[in-house]
């Protein structure tokens, strides 16, 4: 099967027809590119899992384009959801509800709950409205690899495995949506993202971070994408260094010298403030530490770029966990398999 590239807005009807007929289409969103299918078609959804090589107990997020689409998909809408939807939808926030019987168990990963998002990107909004369907759309990459933030990376992973790719330019948030579970006693963040804990707290008051986010254990059935499995990993081994800047730079440069002696191709992932301090052939800065939104937007593309360079090891700085930094470090630590050196 040859994957069709769709790069003109007026050709979206082609993508919509594919989706209505049970096919798979990679689509841009403001967070990352998603691999979309009719969320109510179990066969189409099974093909998402197959194309990605995704474990079947990893639930999918349903995407809607207006609030009326939400009602048939959930058992009820709590007051906390109404508040969050008013402030953050459309946008990079996924909410977990008790599911209605309309949503197939396979989409929910066998759970009684369902994850739903109202994205702000106009292309996926248009496709949802043209099809009249909620779209299941996990990241459009091979399972475990860094999520794609442009159509080129989708093509590299999924060409020949899916029906079409809609090229909508670069994703601007760069990390997947924040996920909040509204079915627990206290609203709980299951995955950090562009909507930060502080922003949620300002609206809801009480909100907690799921303890599983702080653990490397993977023996818990995931309530949301990304909670259980290794994610965001390039082919290179990623090692994070945490400590004061001068000590981190010294430790990484010592390791780079050691790698050079053993003909190991290694690189550094850093920020603008430290870029000039490393003795590496391949150095990628994510941007200034004063602009964490840029660091988030550039993270996945940088990890994939090291694979383009055939780098074997990537030594990364640790970044601030303030605001969106929580999402940045969540993704980076998963990409490293929680391999962290403290100096």
């Amino acid at each position: 099967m040859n994957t069709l590239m769709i790069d003109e807005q007026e050709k979206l009807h082609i993508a919509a027809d594919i989706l209505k007929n049970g096919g798979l289409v990679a689509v841009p969103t403001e967070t990352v590119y998603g691999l979309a299918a009719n969320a109510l078609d179990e066969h189409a959804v099974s093909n998402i899992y197959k194309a990605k090589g995704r474990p079947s107990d990893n639930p999918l997020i349903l995407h809607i384009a207006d609030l009326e689409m939400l009602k048939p998909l959930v058992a009820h809408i709590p007051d906390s959801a109404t508040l969050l939807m008013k402030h953050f939808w459309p946008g990079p926030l996924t909410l977990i509800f008790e599911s209605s019987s309309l949503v197939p168990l396979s989409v929910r990963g066998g759970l009684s709950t369902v994850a739903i998002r109202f994205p702000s990107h106009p292309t996926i909004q248009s496709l949802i409205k043209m099809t009249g369907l909620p779209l299941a759309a996990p990241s459009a990459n091979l399972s475990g690899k860094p999520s794609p933030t442009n159509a080129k990376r989708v093509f590299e992973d999924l060409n020949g495995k899916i029906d079409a790719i809609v090229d909508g330019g670069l994703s601007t948030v760069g990390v997947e949506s924040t996920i909040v579970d509204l079915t627990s006693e206290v609203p709980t963040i299951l995955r950090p993202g562009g909507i930060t804990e502080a922003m949620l707290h300002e609206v809801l008051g009480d909100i907690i971070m799921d303890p599983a986010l702080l653990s490397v254990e993977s023996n818990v059935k995931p309530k949301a994408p990304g909670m259980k499995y290794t994610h965001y990993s390039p082919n290179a081994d990623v090692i994070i260094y945490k400590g004061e800047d001068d000590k981190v730079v010294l430790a990484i440069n010592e390791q780079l010298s050691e790698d050079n002696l053993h003909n190991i191709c290694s690189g550094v992932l850093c920020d603008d403030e430290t870029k000039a301090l490393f003795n590496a052939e391949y150095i990628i800065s994510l941007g200034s530490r004063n602009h964490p939104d840029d660091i988030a937007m550039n993270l996945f593309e940088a990890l994939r770029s090291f694979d383009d360079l055939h780098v074997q090891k990537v030594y990364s700085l640790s970044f601030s966990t303030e605001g969106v930094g929580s999402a940045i470090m969540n993704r980076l630590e998963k990409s490293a398999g929680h391999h962290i050196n403290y100096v």
Side-chain angles (χ1 to χ4, degrees):
M1 175 178 68
N2 292 321
T3 297
L4 176 67
M5 290 294 294
I6 299 172
D7 58 6
E8 297 178 31
Q9 192 72 15
E10 58 266 27
K11 292 185 179 178
L12 278 183
H13 69 276
I14 299 172
D17 287 343
I18 292 170
L19 290 166
K20 285 189 286 188
N21 287 303
L24 303 183
V25 179
V27 298
T29 83
E30 71 275 21
T31 57
V32 298
Y33 273 65
L35 180 55
N38 176 0
L40 307 181
D41 180 338
E42 290 197 75
H43 180 71
V45 168
S46 71
N47 285 334
I48 289 180
Y49 287 104
K50 182 179 178 181
K52 284 176 58 68
R54 181 184 178 98
S56 61
D57 66 343
N58 198 358
L60 302 178
I61 295 173
L62 276 62
H63 295 69
I64 61 175
D66 62 60
L67 295 182
E68 287 302 310
M69 295 185 74
L70 175 65
K71 296 175 182 178
L73 304 174
V74 302
H76 67 279
I77 301 173
D79 291 342
S80 55
T82 302
L83 277 172
L84 292 176
M85 291 187 293
K86 178 180 177 182
H87 282 84
F88 302 116
W89 275 11
L93 177 66
T94 294
L95 301 178
I96 293 185
F97 302 85
E98 291 295 341
S99 181
S100 76
S101 60
L102 181 64
V103 183
L105 268 175
S106 58
V107 178
R108 298 183 256 144
L111 301 173
S112 64
T113 53
V114 61
I116 300 180
R117 183 162 92 87
F118 184 167
S120 62
H121 197 288
T123 300
I124 189 170
Q125 281 193 11
S126 295
L127 281 171
I128 295 168
K129 291 173 182 176
M130 291 169 73
T131 60
L133 299 167
L135 298 179
S139 55
N141 58 310
L142 293 175
S143 187
K145 293 300 180 184
S147 300
T149 53
N150 60 68
K152 174 178 177 287
R153 298 303 189 182
V154 179
F155 188 84
E156 290 172 359
D157 276 12
L158 298 178
N159 180 36
K161 298 176 182 289
I162 64 177
D163 297 290
I165 301 169
V166 177
D167 188 347
L170 296 175
S171 297
T172 54
V173 177
V175 292
E176 298 86 352
S177 60
T178 305
I179 300 178
V180 177
D181 181 7
L182 300 176
T183 68
S184 52
E185 185 175 346
V186 179
T188 303
I189 298 171
L190 301 186
R191 181 176 72 187
I195 304 299
T196 66
E197 182 179 10
M199 294 162 68
L200 294 164
H201 178 74
E202 187 173 341
V203 173
L204 282 186
D206 286 346
I207 189 162
I208 60 174
M209 194 78 76
D210 192 288
L213 289 170
L214 307 176
S215 172
V216 300
E217 297 298 324
S218 61
N219 58 356
V220 178
K221 193 171 182 64
K223 292 192 74 173
M227 290 197 72
K228 178 176 178 182
Y229 298 98
T230 300
H231 275 274
Y232 323 119
S233 299
N235 295 329
D237 292 328
V238 179
I239 303 100
I240 300 168
Y241 282 73
K242 290 189 176 184
E244 297 176 3
D245 279 353
D246 57 345
K247 294 180 180 179
V248 166
V249 170
L250 179 62
I252 290 178
N253 279 334
E254 287 177 348
Q255 189 59 58
L256 290 166
S257 296
E258 183 74 14
D259 289 349
N260 189 50
L261 288 174
H262 293 90
N263 295 314
I264 295 172
C265 182
S266 52
V268 175
L269 186 66
C270 62
D271 53 31
D272 288 351
E273 287 76 9
T274 58
K275 183 177 181 181
L277 303 178
F278 295 102
N279 303 321
E281 182 177 358
Y282 301 117
I283 303 172
I284 297 178
S285 171
L286 296 178
S288 171
R289 62 182 63 176
N290 297 318
H291 299 285
D293 288 346
D294 290 345
I295 291 175
M297 182 173 64
N298 294 328
L299 176 61
F300 289 144
E301 180 60 22
L303 291 172
R304 284 180 172 265
S305 294
F306 281 116
D307 284 345
D308 297 340
L309 298 167
H310 305 292
V311 167
Q312 297 165 273
K313 291 186 177 181
V314 174
Y315 302 111
S316 176
L317 266 64
S318 177
F319 298 89
S320 168
T321 56
E322 290 295 313
V324 74
S326 175
I328 294 165
M329 288 308 300
N330 171 264
R331 306 316 193 270
L332 187 58
E333 289 182 6
K334 280 183 171 289
S335 78
H338 295 272
H339 187 172
I340 301 169
N341 288 341
Y342 293 88
V343 297

